[in-house]
Amino acid sequence: MNEKLLKIINERQLVSAMNKTKWREVCEDLEKLHSSYICVRYKLITSDEIFGFSPVWWDQLFEYSSAIEWLDFNPIVSEYQGHLISDKKTDRSAEILSILKRHSIKYSNQESYFRVWGYLNPGACPEFV
C-alpha cells in the first residue's frame, strides 16, 4: 500500500473491512459472470466524490481496491430494448449475493443496494448481513 493511502487511513482512523484477496475474488467472479451490466457506485478514501452507478471493468476496479471505502451493487440490471420498448429489467440479486456468500464477504443493505465496505469510519456500525 502506498504512503498516501496509509496517511489517509491513519488520519481518518479507518478500519479495514476487506483485503486485496477478497476484492480480487469478488472482481474475478463478477467478471466470470459476464456481469458488465451490473452497475456499481463507489467511494474512494482519497476523495469526497461518489462515483455514480455505472457498469465497470472489474479488473480496473480491482486496481483501485486498496482505496475503496465502500462499493454499492445495484442488483437491478436495465437493458436497452429500443426507443419504443421499455428497458428490460432483470434482478441479479441472487448472483451477487451468491458471490458475496461464497467468499464470506459481509455487506449491508443501503436502500435497495448491497454495500460492501472496504473501510469503516470510527463509530460506524453498519448492520452487516
Side-chain angles (χ1 to χ4, degrees):
M1 185 174 297
N2 70 39
E3 286 185 38
K4 179 182 176 184
L5 290 179
L6 284 173
K7 183 179 179 195
I8 293 168
I9 291 166
N10 288 330
E11 285 175 353
R12 292 182 53 197
Q13 299 179 348
L14 299 174
V15 176
S16 178
M18 286 281 282
N19 60 41
K20 207 69 162 163
T21 302
K22 294 288 186 188
W23 283 120
R24 182 181 308 111
E25 292 169 344
V26 168
C27 290
E28 286 176 354
D29 279 6
L30 286 164
E31 184 69 35
K32 288 177 193 171
L33 260 183
H34 303 292
S35 57
S36 59
Y37 293 113
I38 292 177
C39 292
V40 298
R41 74 176 168 192
Y42 59 96
K43 182 181 178 309
L44 303 175
I45 63 172
T46 55
S47 170
D48 289 332
E49 183 178 0
I50 295 174
F51 297 91
F53 281 108
S54 64
V56 295
W57 294 100
W58 296 104
D59 55 342
Q60 289 179 350
L61 185 71
F62 174 70
E63 295 299 319
Y64 295 108
S65 63
S66 296
I68 295 174
E69 187 167 341
W70 50 259
L71 174 79
D72 286 344
F73 291 93
N74 183 353
I76 306 300
V77 174
S78 294
E79 294 180 59
Y80 181 72
Q81 299 291 302
H83 292 295
L84 301 176
I85 302 172
S86 297
D87 291 349
K88 179 182 175 185
K89 305 271 189 206
T90 307
D91 187 348
R92 305 290 299 267
S93 296
E95 292 135 317
I96 294 168
L97 293 176
S98 171
I99 289 170
L100 298 178
K101 184 176 180 179
R102 181 178 322 129
H103 299 293
S104 302
I105 296 172
K106 301 289 184 194
Y107 65 93
S108 63
N109 290 317
Q110 302 295 125
E111 302 164 16
S112 60
Y113 313 116
F114 307 124
R115 178 169 289 179
V116 173
W117 294 86
Y119 294 95
L120 297 173
N121 291 303
C125 298
E127 251 185 70
F128 288 112
V129 178

